Amino acid sequence: MTTTAPDRQQVGLDDEARLGLYATMVLARRFEEAILAEYHADKGPGFDIGKGLVPGEMHLAAGQEPVAAGVCAHLRSDDAITATHRPHHFAIAHGVDLGRMAAEIFGRETGLGHGRGGHMHLFDPETHFSCSGIVTEGYPAALGQAFAFVRHGTDRIAVAVTGDGGANQGAFHESLNLAACWKLPVVFVIEDNDWAISVPRSASTAVSSNATRARAYDMPGVRVEDNDVEAVYLAASEAVARARAGDGPSLIEVHTLRLWGHFEGDAQGYRPELAEVVGHDPIPSYETKLRSDGILDDSRRDKIYQQAGERIEQAIAFAKSSPLPDPSTARSYIFA
Amino acid sequence: MVVTESTVEAGLGGTHRLTTARAMVEAIEIEMRRDASVFYLGEDVGAYGGIFGSTTGLLDEFGPERVIDTPISETAFIGLAIGAAVEGMRPIAELMFADFMGVCLDQIYNHMAKIHYESGGHVKVPMVLTTAVGGGYSDGAQHSQCLWGTFAHLPGMKVVVPSTPADAKGLMASAIQDDNPVIYMFHKGVMGLAWMAKNSRAIDLVPEGLYTVPIGKAKVIRQGSDVSVVTIGLSVHHVLDVAENLAGNVDVEVIDLRSLVPLDREAILASVSKTGRLVVVDEDYLSFGLSGEVSATVTDVDPTMLKMPVKRVANPDTPVPYSRPLEYAILPRQDRIEAAIREVASA
């Protein structure tokens, strides 16, 4: 990929777009804060993972919002995303209905999967969003969605997301090779949060940047440092345009930040830098930048938070007021 | 086999003689002509025509846009088929040998098979996964397995195993038209390949034109009153050989299940309620598999239906050996089948 920075206005990064990036990140964060509270509200005494209104594993993406906001700003709702076990920020940035997603997380009949999927298995045909609980195994399906989009004569694209740990999976390399070989309209995204659960990147990955792995498959690869949403936006602008133009796949690795544990209940004793993490939260830093650029002020900020809060409140209320699935229907939907 | 009314299940017009492989291809051709969303992808499915003849001639008619050679990347291309199916296409992906499932099983059982369920029925995955199975030609432990019990154990995918040319065609057409993922397992020994021993029924009459066989319906391939033999795949032919040999002494009824999922339990029960004696012949591993499932189908309903304990003739939980006498010792071949039938019929 070229090293010259694209013109910010030319790729649409105007004031409104910048506020949009901020609003998307705020919405994702506020949603996950709400889920976090609901998740832990009734796990006691102690911590029982199977208890409460939101049982099971919970992987939250706080800190990684710049990746989803920066990439999804370029997508249309008819573009596809295959996300990871940590999917909420991408789902939100791509416009998945908050209420139906919340209802799925609460295991309700009104959820995206009528309570069959859960938070790692969200499927929304309306926005062509899906995710998988298996590391990098969402990559291959994105190839197929991209393949179908080409065959249908459209300029739609597919985005496939994994983590830095996932870049060591066979599915990653098979997918990059096949997408490059067939010139499929895919944007591969790696969220490098430094940790494969508890294993540091330095202990698991032979290359300092996964962008160099893109070169092995003859496709453009960039690494975005600093968890900067606008840098992600600019990198994605180029990759999405390339895919849409039929010029083939690209890879974007973003050095991002996992603010919280791998999953809720993870004490993160393995993480020496934990105390400093909160100081790198990308949302306050972007807020500061927008304020200093004169784009954001208290009233705009309050409005963004208020709108996010209202939507999330409605979504959680919808989820909580929805019925649980009827146990007698557990075997529905095995076959079409 | 004589094609009668009951075997021509949805065909029109005449019949012609085809090998099983050719019959399978004929169904794919017809569906590809009818439906532009159908395409075939896999290793050596283009110019080679499929290692076991599963795609011979398709490239010539449909070109490389619809008959697509892939890299040796089963995870990527099976996953690609899943994604394309989700977006409304009808892919047929070929896993060259079922034994290779180890390199791509996640896509098969965690994605292809579960997406419909996890999505609460909102997403359909209408695709076919074709794969070659079975031994008997000294291909060793990694290229001779049947493994249909493994796939059938995992919910969310249909599993079909044709044994005759007509069923190969009819089940393939149904598999392509199905809105669910279907694993289509063709035994190399029934394909009628020029370079492998053929059973006498590997070339047979096949209905011309559009022809479907419903998935989930077993077929009474030979009527009998003394012993029910329930089987699938190449074993169907070994059992028929034995049944013909024993005619006059033991009247053997032969049930070709044709699919494991759905399993036609009614057909099993109907036959055993008549004969009271059951032999299950399965080239797959003995334990935790099809033979146990068929036996339980009877005992779950009415164990007193059985006049004798069930006999199971299967691979005795042994990696398939290379050397011919060793391989023949573990395969459910005619000698073992005949001994089991005689034993069950003896009292």
Side-chain angles (χ1 to χ4, degrees):
Chain A
M1 194 168 274
T2 58
T3 49
T4 51
D7 182 273
R8 295 162 62 88
Q9 294 296 327
Q10 204 174 5
V11 297
L13 196 53
D14 53 18
D15 292 355
E16 195 185 334
R18 298 176 77 192
L19 280 175
L21 295 175
Y22 177 72
T24 300
M25 294 201 293
V26 167
L27 182 63
R29 177 67 61 82
R30 299 291 286 172
F31 181 83
E32 293 214 310
E33 285 169 349
I35 294 295
L36 182 73
E38 295 290 347
Y39 183 80
H40 287 290
D42 45 12
K43 287 282 177 295
F47 176 83
D48 180 345
I49 190 169
K51 276 191 74 178
L53 287 180
V54 182
E57 285 187 62
M58 180 53 64
H59 312 82
L60 298 172
Q64 300 184 187
E65 297 91 349
V67 191
V71 170
C72 295
H74 300 285
L75 302 184
R76 309 188 305 238
S77 64
D78 64 351
D79 292 324
I81 297 183
T82 63
T84 70
H85 59 288
R86 200 181 301 290
H88 303 154
H89 55 326
F90 268 95
I92 289 166
H94 196 44
V96 173
D97 183 85
L98 283 188
R100 294 180 67 213
M101 178 161 81
E104 187 60 28
I105 293 169
F106 278 78
R108 303 301 167 122
E109 182 61 29
T110 54
L112 288 168
H114 297 310
R116 271 74 175 169
H119 107 101
M120 284 188 277
H121 313 109
L122 304 168
F123 294 86
D124 180 27
E126 281 178 32
T127 58
H128 303 269
F129 177 88
S130 67
C131 54
S132 170
I134 310 294
V135 169
T136 318
E137 294 288 340
Y139 263 42
L143 306 184
Q145 291 178 293
F147 178 93
F149 296 159
V150 173
R151 289 304 170 95
H152 292 150
T154 71
D155 67 346
R156 298 162 65 188
I157 71 159
V159 172
V161 188
T162 191
D164 53 298
N168 297 322
Q169 270 281 8
F172 174 85
H173 296 275
E174 287 191 20
S175 298
L176 262 63
N177 178 65
L178 187 54
C181 197
W182 293 4
K183 230 176 162 183
L184 295 170
V186 183
V187 176
F188 295 108
V189 175
I190 300 172
E191 296 180 286
D192 172 14
N193 64 18
D194 292 322
W195 295 96
I197 305 186
S198 67
V199 177
R201 183 185 168 119
S202 59
S204 68
T205 304
V207 292
S208 57
S209 164
N210 278 305
T212 62
R213 286 175 159 170
R215 236 173 280 150
Y217 302 104
D218 207 15
M219 73 173 75
V222 292
R223 180 170 163 90
V224 176
E225 294 292 354
D226 303 327
N227 208 16
D228 175 354
V229 66
E230 295 190 1
V232 176
Y233 180 98
L234 294 174
S237 166
E238 211 163 331
V240 169
R242 180 178 143 85
R244 242 189 249 298
D247 294 333
S250 309
L251 175 88
I252 300 169
E253 178 171 62
V254 182
H255 190 198
T256 187
L257 175 71
R258 199 185 78 201
L259 271 178
W260 302 338
H262 163 69
F263 51 21
E264 287 312 306
D266 173 5
Q268 303 194 78
Y270 52 84
R271 208 170 164 184
E273 88 291 13
L274 198 57
E276 301 155 27
V277 157
V278 71
H280 297 287
D281 187 332
I283 294 180
S285 66
Y286 194 48
E287 183 178 325
T288 303
K289 190 174 180 183
L290 293 181
R291 282 181 187 272
S292 72
D293 288 353
I295 297 168
L296 190 67
D297 55 19
D298 283 346
S299 104
R300 279 189 165 149
R301 180 193 182 279
D302 291 350
K303 196 174 163 197
I304 286 168
Y305 269 76
Q306 188 197 338
Q307 284 176 342
E310 281 169 10
R311 288 184 60 191
I312 291 157
E313 202 174 310
Q314 281 172 16
I316 302 282
F318 171 73
K320 284 180 158 176
S321 65
S322 292
L324 286 161
D326 178 347
S328 72
T329 65
R331 302 197 72 252
S332 303
Y333 312 122
I334 298 171
F335 289 107
Chain B
M1 186 180 79
V2 177
V3 176
T4 64
E5 275 299 313
S6 63
T7 55
V8 182
E9 291 174 79
L12 292 170
T15 58
H16 52 175
R17 285 175 64 79
L18 301 176
T19 63
T20 306
R22 181 62 208 139
M24 171 181 167
V25 174
E26 187 170 86
I28 298 166
E29 284 168 357
I30 291 170
E31 294 305 315
M32 286 182 77
R33 285 178 203 137
R34 276 161 34 92
D35 184 348
S37 71
V38 179
F39 66 101
Y40 203 111
L41 78 170
E43 294 154 9
D44 307 294
V45 303
Y48 196 105
I51 297 299
F52 301 104
S54 56
T55 58
T56 304
L58 290 180
L59 180 68
D60 292 340
E61 180 173 349
F62 301 102
E65 293 286 301
R66 296 182 70 194
V67 183
I68 310 169
D69 278 325
T70 63
I72 304 173
S73 304
E74 288 85 353
T75 289
F77 77 74
I78 292 173
L80 185 149
I82 294 167
V86 162
E87 295 297 340
M89 299 191 78
R90 290 191 177 268
I92 308 168
E94 180 165 306
L95 177 61
M96 188 186 287
F97 287 76
D99 312 69
F100 300 172
M101 73 172 189
V103 300
C104 55
L105 189 58
D106 188 73
Q107 286 298 320
I108 297 169
Y109 88 116
N110 264 333
H111 293 84
M112 183 183 85
K114 290 179 183 164
I115 286 173
H116 184 69
Y117 187 79
E118 289 174 326
S119 73
H122 292 120
V123 180
K124 290 189 175 74
V125 188
M127 64 176 280
V128 184
L129 183 65
T130 59
T131 189
V133 298
Y137 61 104
S138 288
D139 215 0
Q142 298 174 342
H143 293 74
S144 299
Q145 299 167 96
C146 288
L147 297 173
W148 43 58
T150 304
F151 289 103
H153 184 70
L154 303 164
M157 48 196 165
K158 297 185 178 179
V159 180
V160 305
V161 185
S163 68
T164 65
D167 283 352
K169 179 174 179 179
L171 288 169
M172 175 55 80
S174 294
I176 296 170
Q177 293 171 17
D178 204 295
D179 279 343
N180 294 286
V182 179
I183 302 213
Y184 181 101
M185 309 184 87
F186 53 89
H187 196 296
K188 292 157 243 171
V190 307
M191 293 294 269
L193 303 171
W195 46 280
M196 194 179 285
K198 282 184 273 297
N199 70 78
S200 60
R201 305 168 199 88
I203 301 176
D204 212 334
L205 290 173
V206 175
E208 291 174 353
L210 187 61
Y211 171 67
T212 57
V213 169
I215 296 173
K217 294 287 177 203
K219 181 172 172 181
V220 180
I221 204 157
R222 186 183 195 280
Q223 301 269 354
S225 56
D226 294 337
V227 177
S228 302
V229 182
V230 175
T231 187
I232 202 161
L234 178 65
S235 298
V236 168
H237 302 288
H238 295 338
V239 172
L240 283 173
D241 293 343
V242 171
E244 283 159 18
N245 257 344
L246 290 176
N249 295 318
V250 185
D251 193 16
V252 178
E253 178 147 300
V254 183
I255 311 276
D256 180 356
L257 287 170
R258 304 197 289 191
S259 67
L260 286 87
V261 181
L263 181 62
D264 190 348
R265 297 181 195 274
E266 284 177 19
I268 297 165
L269 291 167
S271 181
V272 176
S273 67
K274 182 174 72 175
T275 62
R277 293 176 169 86
L278 173 62
V279 173
V280 189
V281 181
D282 181 14
E283 192 181 320
D284 201 357
Y285 300 118
L286 173 71
S287 301
F288 317 105
L290 176 65
S291 62
E293 191 59 38
V294 170
S295 304
T297 297
V298 176
T299 54
D300 282 355
V301 172
D302 181 8
T304 67
M305 208 184 275
L306 293 164
K307 297 170 189 161
M308 288 284 284
V310 176
K311 291 295 290 183
R312 297 192 276 158
V313 184
N315 174 318
D317 301 332
T318 307
V320 181
Y322 161 66
S323 183
R324 186 175 303 119
L326 297 176
E327 185 181 20
Y328 280 20
I330 62 97
L331 287 174
R333 293 177 57 81
Q334 285 88 342
D335 50 346
R336 289 175 62 203
I337 296 167
E338 181 172 334
I341 292 173
R342 285 188 182 279
E343 189 178 333
V344 167
S346 65

